[in-house]
Amino acid sequence: MLNRAISDHGQNAELHCQLGNVYVQRGHHNRALKPFKRAVALQADHIQSLFGLGLCYGELGLADLEMRTYDQILAFKPDMFEAIVRKGDAYFNRQDYKQAIEEYNQAILQDDAGPWLFENLGKAYSEIHDVEQATQCFKKALDMDPNLGYSHYI
């Protein structure tokens, strides 16, 4: 049904984005790229489609494209918490822990961060052997959610 709507209204970025989201929900990240790209071609600042592209690139192991996509999002919405965190995750996955820390700290300034973000930040500090900062982050995460499984780091 969505394919038919797109054939009837092919110039609507939102419809292409919705199709991309359907593919993502089914785990078809490669197939989701085309509708997300089409949506962005129709509307360069279609944040939901850009975010979908970033997620797909990350799932497909295309780190450079993933980073570029989050940079595009942040050019339109510099304070977008989810994009900042995902960019931090991408840096972490590339083992660029100092950049991950920078992004996670930026995200914390933008939003009321949950314990998982402090947990991620603690992991990044652990990777660069900054035990003091890692401990502070894990303690903060545990203060927010005592059921976290990282108490063995403290």
Side-chain angles (χ1 to χ4, degrees):
M1 184 158 85
L2 196 52
N3 278 327
R4 182 179 173 145
I6 287 175
S7 69
D8 292 343
H9 306 284
Q11 299 302 308
N12 185 317
E14 187 60 36
L15 287 175
H16 289 281
C17 182
Q18 287 178 13
L19 180 58
N21 286 330
V22 168
Y23 286 133
V24 166
Q25 289 171 356
R26 294 181 178 170
H28 301 292
H29 296 94
N30 203 34
R31 290 183 74 184
L33 293 175
K34 185 176 180 180
F36 285 141
K37 286 178 181 179
R38 179 70 179 137
V40 172
L42 291 168
Q43 184 182 335
D45 66 345
H46 199 268
I47 300 299
Q48 290 174 312
S49 294
L50 286 167
F51 197 76
L53 275 173
L55 292 174
C56 289
Y57 289 143
E59 288 294 321
L60 295 169
L62 303 170
D64 289 338
L65 291 171
E66 178 185 19
M67 296 296 291
R68 241 181 283 148
T69 303
Y70 292 130
D71 284 338
Q72 281 180 275
I73 293 169
L74 293 169
F76 291 116
K77 288 187 77 175
D79 298 340
M80 186 176 174
F81 176 78
E82 296 86 357
I84 298 168
V85 170
R86 289 292 184 161
K87 189 174 176 186
D89 292 344
Y91 278 122
F92 188 94
N93 292 335
R94 293 170 81 172
Q95 299 179 344
D96 187 345
Y97 303 113
K98 289 183 180 181
Q99 273 305 132
I101 289 166
E102 191 173 309
E103 296 300 326
Y104 292 149
N105 279 321
Q106 180 65 30
I108 288 167
L109 294 174
Q110 300 302 323
D111 197 81
D112 186 20
W116 57 271
L117 185 53
F118 288 97
E119 185 177 344
N120 287 0
L121 185 57
K123 289 178 191 177
Y125 277 120
S126 291
E127 291 293 339
I128 63 168
H129 308 290
D130 188 337
V131 176
E132 184 177 325
Q133 287 293 330
T135 301
Q136 287 179 12
C137 291
F138 290 129
K139 282 183 179 177
K140 175 91 171 163
L142 284 169
D143 287 344
M144 296 170 86
D145 183 356
N147 296 318
L148 287 177
Y150 286 90
S151 58
H152 63 275
Y153 282 104
I154 299 175

